[in-house]
Amino acid sequence: MSRARALDVTADLTLTIDGEPIAIESYTDTVLVDFPSVRALAAVARTERQRLPSLERTLRRMDLTVVVLVDGVAVGTVGARAKPQSNRLPLEVDAGGTLRAAVAAPLRFFN
């Protein structure tokens, strides 16, 4: 796969999906996408899972990385600097961060 020209992204916005505010911020080649809860991330992941391989390929080609956070805690990385655990899931999962995010806001996860 040929590599496109590397990009830097400048963004500071809030996207609302199903009433949940998702903060997106970047000033470099790393985009931070911060979900307010594990539940909000899971809802988006369920509906958008089939797009992940295409997103991952595009991010790598553009030399961009997306760090997924839950309430400020990194839970996964996709794109240029990610080290996916398998080809089926082109995402580097931070198990410790995922556990911290779930423990930090258990009521938001189960409500």
Side-chain angles (χ1 to χ4, degrees):
M1 166 181 353
S2 66
R3 197 168 267 245
R5 186 174 175 175
L7 296 177
D8 277 346
V9 176
T10 301
D12 186 5
L13 59 108
T14 301
L15 174 69
T16 302
I17 298 177
D18 293 334
E20 298 277 7
I22 300 163
I24 301 168
E25 184 177 332
S26 178
Y27 302 100
T28 63
D29 61 347
T30 301
V31 179
L32 305 175
V33 181
D34 197 355
F35 290 83
S37 66
V38 174
R39 187 187 74 226
L41 172 58
V44 171
R46 271 192 303 276
T47 62
E48 301 301 321
R49 180 187 315 182
Q50 73 279 1
R51 297 176 200 245
L52 187 58
S54 176
L55 172 64
E56 192 271 340
R57 285 189 301 273
T58 299
L59 290 170
R60 284 194 184 277
R61 229 179 48 247
M62 301 304 231
D63 201 27
L64 292 173
T65 301
V66 172
V67 177
V68 178
L69 304 106
V70 173
D71 199 25
V73 177
V75 297
T77 305
V78 65
R81 289 194 312 277
K83 295 175 185 80
Q85 281 81 10
S86 75
N87 288 336
R88 288 196 62 179
L89 183 64
L91 169 73
E92 179 181 346
V93 177
D94 183 330
T98 301
L99 181 60
R100 280 191 306 277
V103 169
L107 295 177
R108 284 191 278 174
F109 178 69
F110 292 107
N111 290 334

